[in-house]
Amino acid sequence: MGLRRKFVLGAVLIVTGLALSAGGCALQRLPNVPKEITGPAASPPILAAFQSDPKIQTQEDWQNRRAPLLKARFQSEIYGAMPAAVGYEIVSREVLQRPEKGAIGTIERISIALKTTQPGPWTGGRPIVDLILMTPKGKGPFPVIAGGTFCGNNVLLPKQPGMRTTTMALPQECGGGVPGFLVTAIFGLHANAPPWETLAEKGYALASWHPGDVVPDVPVVAEPYLEALTPVGTPPDQRTGAIAAWAWTNSRMVDVLSPDPRLDPNRIVIWGHSRHGKAALLSAAFDPRPAAIWALQSGTAGAALGRDDVGEPVSDITTSFPHWFAPAYRAYAGKPADLDVDQHQLIALLAPRPVLIGTGRRDQWGDPHGSFRALQGADPVYQLYGAPAFSQIKLRQPDSQGVLAFYMRPGLHGIHTEDWEEALSFFDRTVPTPASNAPNSRLKP
Ligand code: GTR
């Protein structure tokens, strides 16, 4: 390397280091959210009469009457119309790593063309998702932890040869170089890369993909993709938002994973962080197959109650990320209490499946308090199914028995080792292997 290049590289590293410590220090000064629960109870009360639907008294009332009503409302007012499930086609399968010579297991890339009702701006007219599947050594069928991650697949498993990036537009932070470095430095070791080795050792398969293969996470750029996914005849202000498109992608990945004989279709867990946590919750609300859900720091339009506008306000989220939502959601900017549904009702649509909500002490923007109150608000529906009550009373003292579970770790917005530790102990308990099924078997609808 020439002297001049070395000098430039050195300067870039120093500037990056300074920016990082300044940014990091500034972020570390963000206050902790109050230790005691604050804020009003979730409203409307979950079993109360809603629109013309009378009070809910049984599981059947919930399933047959209230759930369809709420699903329609979440689509028309917040997320936009869910795309139709038309099917998929496997385009190719390539083994990137075989389970030999100390490898953690088998890693393969399954390229999947998602069928859509109308062609769109994707190369070839329909989205192609590269699903990266790791199956551990040993005898399955394995439970699988499945979810979309923030940047392209090339940053999923940094040491793995053969990974490739997406050809779609990426958010600015995923551009590599200094911004990419900052993402990991600020948002944690696992911001883009799940702990594959640990999962393999514990007998979990991992399925990862880049939701930007379906809808790029960039305002304006996303619009023609969203238009193409929107069911024909949908009113313009209910056009599919990116969160709904990514939730739909989760379900298409479940379509692909379920028939794989190495995997257990009854133990597919859907997870996501932040925007992908929102999509994880939404997908499970519309798809009964995921066995459990982990939404980490999913905030506004995720696990956090929205009608109080604490945390990220509707006005901010719809300005920064207009492509995530139905245009109709913007009407609630500055007046979120006008919305007649809230996120405890979305969580209740997952009943009786186990749900883990993760939060960070300094993540005011992600609204840990609102997420906790949303679980409290959803709980009466879980109790209709005979689940133990959500009995946690302190934000920082998780209840290790609950089907609805909440934790708050130190720190900011990001994905850290502690998050995966919390999640794995939750899955070990709630999505147990058939052999250990008896004492903790999850509740069946
Ligand atoms: C933030 C956004 C949040 C959250 C987050 C993320 O900028 O305000 O709603 O989704 O991005 O996805 O990391």
Side-chain angles (χ1 to χ4, degrees):
M1 191 188 291
L3 199 57
R4 197 183 147 154
R5 253 189 103 184
K6 272 190 189 155
F7 176 76
V8 171
L9 187 66
V12 166
L13 285 175
I14 290 168
V15 171
T16 308
L18 288 174
L20 198 60
S21 47
C25 291
L27 290 169
Q28 287 308 330
R29 276 207 298 275
L30 286 175
N32 281 324
V33 300
K35 271 191 197 167
E36 304 305 326
I37 318 288
T38 57
S43 73
I46 197 119
L47 302 179
F50 178 77
Q51 296 181 349
S52 59
D53 189 34
K55 191 174 182 316
I56 297 298
Q57 282 166 334
T58 64
Q59 279 176 35
E60 291 69 33
D61 292 350
W62 174 260
Q63 258 165 6
N64 303 336
R65 294 200 335 247
R66 184 62 56 86
L69 198 59
L70 292 175
K71 285 184 192 172
R73 213 64 199 135
F74 279 113
Q75 290 180 92
S76 67
E77 304 310 298
I78 302 182
Y79 302 104
M82 289 297 278
V86 194
Y88 69 90
E89 200 179 300
I90 306 274
V91 178
S92 65
R93 284 178 185 270
E94 297 156 76
V95 176
L96 303 179
Q97 176 185 278
R98 297 191 181 279
E100 53 204 24
K101 286 189 262 153
I104 57 171
T106 304
I107 295 176
E108 58 189 294
R109 170 169 46 228
I110 309 173
S111 293
I112 303 145
L114 302 185
K115 294 189 180 166
T116 53
T117 42
Q118 44 190 338
W122 304 275
T123 309
R126 54 191 184 172
I128 307 272
V129 178
D130 274 349
L131 170 71
I132 304 295
L133 177 64
M134 179 278 293
T135 41
K137 287 181 186 171
K139 196 167 165 324
F142 301 105
V144 54
I145 300 175
T149 53
F150 191 65
C151 294
N153 284 342
N154 57 319
V155 284
L156 263 185
L157 192 56
K159 292 187 209 134
Q160 176 60 44
M163 302 291 275
R164 66 183 175 213
T165 190
T166 178
T167 52
M168 302 277 270
L170 283 167
Q172 200 189 359
E173 307 88 297
C174 295
V178 174
F181 176 61
L182 283 174
V183 165
T184 313
I186 295 177
F187 296 110
L189 187 61
H190 297 299
N192 283 313
W196 300 70
E197 284 85 356
T198 310
L199 299 180
E201 275 161 22
K202 288 186 69 94
Y204 286 96
L206 183 79
S208 272
W209 58 89
H210 179 52
D213 284 347
V214 177
V215 175
D217 193 7
V218 184
V220 184
V221 175
E223 289 299 329
Y225 299 88
L226 296 170
E227 295 294 341
L229 288 167
T230 302
V232 177
T234 302
D237 70 342
Q238 296 174 24
R239 76 101 180 81
T240 302
I243 304 284
W246 298 330
W248 172 82
T249 308
N250 288 352
S251 288
R252 301 295 67 77
M253 297 302 108
V254 175
D255 294 347
V256 175
L257 298 169
S258 297
D260 190 316
R262 298 164 299 177
L263 308 175
D264 183 344
N266 295 316
R267 290 186 292 155
I268 299 176
V269 171
I270 294 285
W271 83 283
H273 176 243
S274 207
R275 63 201 70 187
H276 301 306
K278 304 180 208 296
L281 292 168
L282 184 64
S283 60
F286 281 78
D287 185 341
R289 296 170 298 171
I293 296 88
W294 172 33
L296 171 58
Q297 296 179 310
S298 56
T300 297
L305 295 175
R307 296 176 82 210
D308 57 8
D309 235 8
V310 171
E312 183 176 17
V314 177
S315 52
D316 281 58
I317 204 168
T318 53
T319 304
S320 310
F321 308 103
H323 59 301
W324 286 0
F325 303 105
Y329 191 36
R330 271 178 236 155
Y332 299 101
K335 41 183 179 172
D338 285 2
L339 189 52
D340 60 2
V341 286
D342 208 347
Q343 301 308 108
H344 60 304
Q345 292 163 306
L346 185 76
I347 295 172
L349 290 170
L350 278 46
R353 291 167 289 169
V355 177
L356 176 65
I357 299 299
T359 63
R361 283 187 204 168
R362 293 179 198 272
D363 183 20
Q364 300 260 10
W365 197 239
D367 190 13
H369 286 255
S371 309
F372 189 91
R373 287 182 284 110
L375 288 175
Q376 289 178 320
D379 184 49
V381 173
Y382 273 74
Q383 290 190 45
L384 283 181
Y385 287 87
F390 177 67
S391 56
Q392 186 173 335
I393 43 172
K394 295 211 173 271
L395 287 167
R396 297 191 187 178
Q397 284 172 17
D399 163 15
S400 55
Q401 303 303 314
V403 176
L404 288 175
F406 175 96
Y407 71 88
M408 188 162 77
R409 57 144 171 80
L412 299 156
H413 201 68
I415 317 179
H416 299 274
T417 305
E418 292 138 283
D419 290 305
W420 276 100
E421 284 168 359
E422 290 280 356
L424 287 175
S425 70
F426 180 74
F427 303 147
D428 286 349
R429 175 167 71 80
T430 59
V431 193
T433 55
S436 61
N437 222 357
N440 289 319
S441 66
R442 71 185 179 87
L443 294 157
K444 295 274 184 260

